[in-house]
Amino acid sequence: MSEEKLRQEITDICHLVYRKGYVASTDGNVSVRLYDGNVMCTPTRCNKGFVKPSDLVVIDMHGNKVRGERKQSSEMAMHLQIYRMRPEIQAVVHAHPAAATAFAAAGLPLNKALISEVVLAVGCIPLAQYGTPGTPELTEELRPYISGHDALLMSNHGVVTYGKTLEDAFNLMDTVEHFAKISIYTKILGRERLLSPDDVEKLWVQRQKYFGLDESEAQRKDPLCPMTDGVSETISLTRGELIDLIERVVSNIK
Ligand SMILES: [Zn+2]
């Protein structure tokens, strides 16, 4: 795709990210890898709802500006780290969608096998530890998860997703946020019925066929973010969840 078309496509995705409420004010950033190995990205301090194709900046893989009027986003080190570690990735979207960011702020990964389509499309969405935005600290905390996942929660910050096209990267952001909302609704309802290990296993097989992945890619059984299925539900309760449960039981006895 030509640079001009990609310029328009980034702009369209930015407007969509803003319309969907996945960012506020000047939050978030979007980039694509260009045919010459450089990266085109959104500028710093720019509202994604109003960004224009001419605002975009081209940088090299070291983060130096190659062309463009404005200054590149301060989060580009994170995008470049993803492009370096995943040669097949062509686009990165970073945003702060409210429900998924609430999980990131609560210190919770989105790792429960609650919805078949999410297991199929994304698998576990791990939570990377906190790192100050715009510093190597953030990039280092994401590093252990980049190879095994296409969507990451960033503690006390937001979400980053990436794919072979901008649309793929955006779709993942959409899926993560939708799943986060469903997860919160199940908490409000007071119960979660997880898929069984057998069901999850069948979805992994389907995932392999659907995406044409080899077995290691399809499995995505990252020890850093194991998928919580029906069997491990009882041991996956956090301390806070346990206290909450005990309080509910005690108040019922009274
Ligand atoms: Zn951010």
Side-chain angles (χ1 to χ4, degrees), residues 28 75 94 96 157:
E75 293 290 14
H94 164 56
H96 305 166
H157 184 161

Side-chain angles (χ1 to χ4, degrees), residues 8 13 24-25 43 72 85 116 125 144 190 198:
Q8 188 57 53
I13 291 287
S25 182
Q72 64 266 40
M85 290 180 68
S116 56
I125 304 149
D198 263 11

